[in-house]
Amino acid sequence: MNYKSLKGLQDILPPDISHWHHIESTAQDVFRRYGFREIRLPVMESTDVFVRSIGESSDIVEKEMYTFEDKGGRSVTLRPEGTASFVRAYVEHHLYNNPSPQKFYYMGPMFRYERPQAFRYRQFYQIGAEAMGVEEPELDAEIISMLSVILQGIGLEGLNFEITSIGCPRCRPGYRNALREFLEVRITRFCSDCQRRYDINPLRILDCKVPSCIESRAGAPPVLDYLCTGCEEHFGRVIKALKLLHIPHTINPGLVRGLDYYTKTAFEVTSESLGSQKAVAAGGRYDSMVKEFGGPPTPGIGFAMGMERIVPLMKHSVAASGAPDLFFCPLGSDALEKALLLTEQLRAGGLWVEMNHDISSLRSQMRKANRMGARNVIVLGADELSRNEVVVKNMMAKEERSARLDRESLLRALGAER
Ligand code: ATP
Ligand code: MG
């Protein structure tokens, strides 16, 4: 048998995992300071949860969902993103009864049946945040600021923060008409997907990645010109707050998010170093979604960042935790027993300790210690046992010091005493 992982899915192995840990712990620390608490959601939902919120004409629902029937004949879908599941949980558990704003974050795998390529996988990981119950635009700026603090904390540089407003149910019909009017005379130049979108949801055409569609939609009316007074004021205050907080940003009226539930503020963080898969994180407001899920009208805003796109942007190497503090080389079966006991005791004292489990030659044991990059090595033979004393070889400093064969003296010799 010769199994391989499925196409578009990948194993994350050491030492790469250190980068993942660094991203996760940086994000968690920032979330704590901003009052966000973790929520863990299932990786599967009823298919409807996604279809109704993300939208039938979105790329995700049209082409990318892992949908199947379970043994009970229900249509279930592996989550393609976190917000729909989150809002489902928010309404199901009546979380809107708690004081606002309520702030949550999640981390975990998402699934989309996409064409695998660099930085685009079928299982990928997101860290996302959602803040509920505040409609004021200053919160939008705070959320974008938090995202920027996280990305900076991870050590990313040269990112672009792009922002726009995509209006609300009040101004969108007017915009949709204007867009249809623009598209009407040109629609035959668009791909067949877009021709279908023209009837269902023409806004989707603005997000199509087919080059000829991008070309044909040049000159389309920008949504920013069609905002109602409320949305315009909201957007103005977001931009004002971003300036106040000194967050560099670009207004990009062409930014359209791939999900239908967004209202007002939408934003994306991009990096030119990622080539065509340049979105590192993205988010926006979704003020109508809780109501659509059967809850009381509750505004919300959130974002999600993609782990697989952040890791390759991390220039500095994360402190390698790839080497044991100590490696025991026991010579003989008595020594092996003693090494086993001391290994456990020193681990309890906080050190990463490894030992050799067979009684092979000293040479081969030393080779193993070197391959692991052990910082210290102790050779334990009959002589050491009878004298109750060993030599601790510091492999980095090329120094030796002796220690008695007990936990305290060893911890001291290893510089780890409490
Ligand atoms: P794209 O335009 O690249 O397809 P998207 O708009 O579909 O992105 P979102 O749904 O906004 O992406 O997801 C938020 C983030 O999740 C993206 O900015 C990206 O970092 C990451 N992401 C989305 N899809 C994938 C994928 N297939 N593989 C890896 N990361 C992904
Ligand atoms: Mg996509």
Side-chain angles (χ1 to χ4, degrees):
M1 264 180 271
N2 183 12
Y3 291 122
K4 294 224 159 67
S5 69
L6 294 172
K7 200 172 157 197
L9 276 60
Q10 56 169 355
D11 304 307
I12 319 289
L13 308 172
D16 272 8
I17 199 77
S18 310
H19 289 86
W20 289 63
H21 290 163
H22 178 65
I23 298 171
E24 287 161 359
S25 59
T26 305
Q28 277 171 321
D29 179 52
V30 177
F31 286 142
R32 183 186 57 75
R33 289 187 269 145
Y34 282 79
F36 281 69
R37 290 184 302 165
E38 187 178 5
I39 184 166
R40 294 204 186 180
L41 303 158
V43 294
M44 266 193 282
E45 298 279 348
S46 288
T47 300
D48 260 3
V49 168
F50 303 116
V51 173
R52 305 230 343 246
S53 55
I54 299 171
E56 310 231 26
S57 61
S58 64
D59 274 1
I60 294 182
V61 172
E62 272 189 342
K63 312 179 202 156
E64 299 174 358
M65 293 209 305
Y66 274 92
T67 298
F68 56 95
E69 236 178 52
D70 71 5
K71 292 206 189 326
R74 299 167 205 93
S75 178
V76 300
T77 296
L78 295 181
R79 60 179 183 190
E81 57 109 39
T83 305
S85 308
F86 164 72
V87 172
R88 192 268 310 137
Y90 184 79
V91 174
E92 183 174 338
H93 303 288
H94 312 292
L95 298 179
Y96 43 76
N97 287 332
N98 303 330
S100 300
Q102 290 188 57
K103 301 183 272 193
F104 302 90
Y105 75 89
Y106 59 83
M107 311 194 187
M110 306 293 157
F111 305 85
R112 295 185 195 175
Y113 195 78
E114 304 208 60
R115 194 166 65 79
Q117 48 196 295
F119 316 123
R120 191 176 288 287
Y121 303 94
R122 288 182 174 171
Q123 173 174 335
F124 59 96
Y125 287 76
Q126 285 185 340
I127 298 181
E130 316 284 356
M132 307 303 290
V134 170
E135 60 185 352
E136 276 68 26
E138 288 70 28
L139 177 71
D140 308 23
E142 218 183 311
I143 296 293
I144 294 171
S145 176
M146 177 174 79
L147 176 57
S148 146
V149 171
I150 294 174
L151 295 171
Q152 275 179 30
I154 293 167
L156 304 198
E157 287 164 9
L159 299 174
N160 314 310
F161 281 70
E162 298 178 20
I163 181 163
T164 192
S165 172
I166 53 173
C168 70
R170 219 170 313 130
C171 41
R172 204 163 295 155
Y175 177 63
R176 200 179 288 134
N177 287 341
L179 187 61
R180 275 222 180 89
E181 210 169 286
F182 169 85
L183 293 167
E184 196 178 3
V185 291
R186 311 171 161 77
I187 194 64
T188 49
R189 294 192 226 153
F190 286 82
C191 71
S192 56
D193 279 345
C194 281
Q195 302 204 7
R196 198 162 23 84
R197 290 171 184 142
Y198 176 81
D199 291 315
I200 322 169
N201 186 356
L203 268 71
R204 285 265 73 81
I205 297 179
L206 301 175
D207 199 30
C208 182
K209 309 267 182 350
V210 175
S212 60
C213 295
I214 296 175
E215 208 172 292
S216 310
R217 71 176 177 238
V223 61
L224 280 179
D225 289 355
Y226 289 79
L227 298 184
C228 62
T229 331
C231 286
E232 201 175 293
E233 196 214 315
H234 186 101
F235 188 56
R237 276 171 60 188
V238 176
I239 298 300
K240 189 165 169 235
L242 287 177
K243 286 186 182 146
L244 178 82
L245 298 174
H246 299 292
I247 299 168
H249 58 275
T250 321
I251 296 176
N252 176 1
L255 182 66
V256 200
R257 303 287 300 115
L259 310 103
D260 282 359
Y261 52 65
Y262 283 118
T263 52
K264 294 185 177 164
T265 312
F267 54 92
E268 211 164 84
V269 183
T270 58
S271 161
E272 293 310 321
S273 337
L274 290 173
S276 54
Q277 266 50 259
K278 62 189 171 85
V280 175
R285 251 190 192 277
Y286 45 90
D287 288 350
S288 321
M289 205 168 159
V290 173
K291 185 155 174 275
E292 275 155 27
F293 272 81
T298 311
I301 178 168
F303 63 75
M305 49 202 222
M307 294 288 280
E308 290 81 355
R309 297 189 189 174
I310 295 176
V311 170
L313 295 176
M314 292 169 70
K315 298 217 169 58
H316 66 286
S317 66
V318 175
S321 54
D325 297 306
L326 173 65
F327 189 91
F328 267 114
C329 302
L331 303 170
S333 55
D334 289 347
L336 194 125
E337 279 184 6
K338 186 75 179 171
L340 178 64
L341 184 65
L342 286 168
T343 294
E344 284 295 282
Q345 290 177 346
L346 295 173
R347 283 172 179 162
L351 295 182
W352 174 5
V353 185
E354 297 290 341
M355 64 177 278
N356 200 65
H357 292 90
D358 59 24
I359 306 162
S360 44
S361 72
L362 180 57
R363 233 178 103 159
S364 86
Q365 295 199 41
M366 286 303 289
R367 207 179 306 128
K368 201 158 155 188
N370 278 327
R371 277 227 316 265
M372 282 185 159
R375 297 173 210 278
N376 295 281
V377 173
I378 292 178
V379 177
L380 195 56
D383 185 37
E384 283 82 4
L385 279 180
S386 66
R387 282 191 294 118
N388 201 34
E389 199 179 282
V390 282
V391 172
V392 179
K393 287 189 206 202
N394 184 320
M395 309 301 275
M396 312 284 152
K398 307 262 181 255
E399 276 171 13
E400 302 193 344
R401 49 166 87 170
S402 51
R404 293 177 58 76
L405 254 186
D406 60 62
R407 183 185 160 200
E408 299 316 316
S409 353
L410 286 171
L411 283 175
R412 215 173 305 124
L414 292 159
E417 75 269 68
R418 298 262 147 88

